[in-house]
Amino acid sequence: PDVISNALDGLCDKKIIKYSGTYDRYDFFDASIYDVEAMIQEESFRIGEDSVVKTLNDYFVDFVLYPHSYNRAYKISRVFVPVYVTASELAKRTIGSKASNADGILLMLLGDTDVTPEVVLNLSENHHNAVIWVNNDCSALVSAVKKYIAAKYLESQKAKYNEKDPAFEKELQYNISEIMATIFAFIDDWKSFRDIDGYIVCEGKVCDDISNIEQVSGLASDVMYKTFP
């Protein structure tokens, strides 16, 4: 297996074949004269944190959180809408406007080692009807989103590259698909508590013993019981 794996890696390095994480298979590489991956990487260095958060909220929110216990008890369907935020945004009181039609808000906090439970606990006072889910190991996710933004920018400029090499667009679209799959995989890991360094803040408490989405739903129910008794 190691010999085969090494051989496949070598063919990938030489751009003879490519591995698709989206479909879990290898395909022949229809290479462009442009180094598309390098172009995406170079462009991604220009992307700021605000653009990352906006892109996550605009294109990568594919779930909601239901407070199941509360909904069953009241035979209703209340919902918490996810909103990605940074610690600096958490300091603002206007985040709730991003989910103004929702019963509650699930703040997905892109943290780091400087974002301590004490900091989040203090900032949580700005937000009612909220569950704050902190992930302090977001560097790979942030990097992937920056690449997605960079790739979409290159897509907007594709005409000038296609003129010299029609294969550019096909390779770019392949990269965009792979980057999107990577981003959704990181988000799934977050939602599934796989390999994340994080905790949850809710109702003035730090909850560091939550380990599955059902328990997060339970916290959302606690918020709803208090808000809509």
Side-chain angles (χ1 to χ4, degrees):
D2 289 341
V3 174
I4 296 174
S5 178
N6 290 337
L8 290 171
D9 288 343
L11 292 173
C12 287
D13 291 340
K14 294 176 182 178
K15 292 194 172 185
I16 297 173
I17 62 174
K18 59 189 177 186
Y19 174 71
S20 171
T22 306
Y23 301 105
D24 192 25
R25 73 185 186 198
Y26 289 92
D27 296 312
F28 284 105
F29 204 112
D30 186 12
S32 165
I33 62 172
Y34 297 101
D35 189 337
V36 176
E37 287 186 19
M39 292 169 69
I40 292 172
Q41 184 70 29
E42 181 180 355
E43 194 65 39
S44 72
F45 293 138
R46 301 186 177 95
I47 310 300
E49 190 177 75
D50 289 346
S51 296
V52 169
V53 173
K54 185 178 186 307
T55 298
L56 281 169
N57 285 319
D58 287 348
Y59 302 107
F60 293 98
V61 175
D62 65 341
F63 72 102
V64 295
L65 177 68
Y66 292 100
H68 290 300
S69 174
Y70 180 91
N71 285 348
R72 285 193 296 267
Y74 284 83
K75 294 181 174 55
I76 198 170
S77 184
R78 297 200 184 277
V79 64
F80 279 61
V81 172
V83 175
Y84 291 93
V85 296
T86 60
S88 60
E89 287 185 307
L90 200 62
K92 304 174 184 176
R93 297 177 181 272
T94 57
I95 294 175
S97 62
K98 298 181 180 180
S100 56
N101 294 324
D103 303 293
I105 184 168
L106 177 64
L107 295 172
M108 308 285 285
L109 177 54
L110 300 159
D112 54 40
T113 53
D114 294 329
V115 181
T116 65
E118 292 75 21
V119 169
V120 178
L121 194 59
N122 289 334
L123 294 176
S124 69
E125 296 177 1
N126 293 330
H127 308 288
H128 304 290
N129 297 3
V131 174
I132 304 174
W133 194 347
V134 185
N135 184 351
N136 279 338
D137 188 17
C138 291
S139 57
L141 171 60
V142 169
S143 177
V145 177
K146 287 182 177 181
K147 288 179 181 179
Y148 173 80
I149 298 169
K152 295 299 285 184
Y153 169 74
L154 289 174
E155 184 181 40
S156 72
Q157 306 295 309
K158 65 184 179 183
K160 65 181 180 182
Y161 298 110
N162 285 342
E163 188 177 346
K164 291 185 178 179
D165 181 12
F168 171 82
E169 184 174 3
K170 184 177 181 180
E171 187 174 341
L172 179 62
Q173 290 303 321
Y174 168 81
N175 276 274
I176 290 174
S177 296
E178 291 296 297
I179 294 167
M180 289 181 67
T182 298
I183 293 170
F184 279 120
F186 283 136
I187 293 171
D188 284 341
D189 286 346
W190 189 342
K191 293 187 295 182
S192 303
F193 290 84
R194 284 193 296 264
D195 300 322
I196 71 165
D197 172 22
Y199 52 89
I200 291 175
V201 171
C202 181
E203 295 289 288
K205 295 183 295 184
V206 176
C207 308
D208 54 8
D209 57 346
I210 304 297
S211 59
N212 58 62
I213 195 67
E214 289 78 16
Q215 290 175 308
V216 182
S217 172
L219 293 176
S221 287
D222 292 341
V223 174
M224 290 293 94
Y225 281 123
K226 183 176 179 180
T227 306
F228 304 108

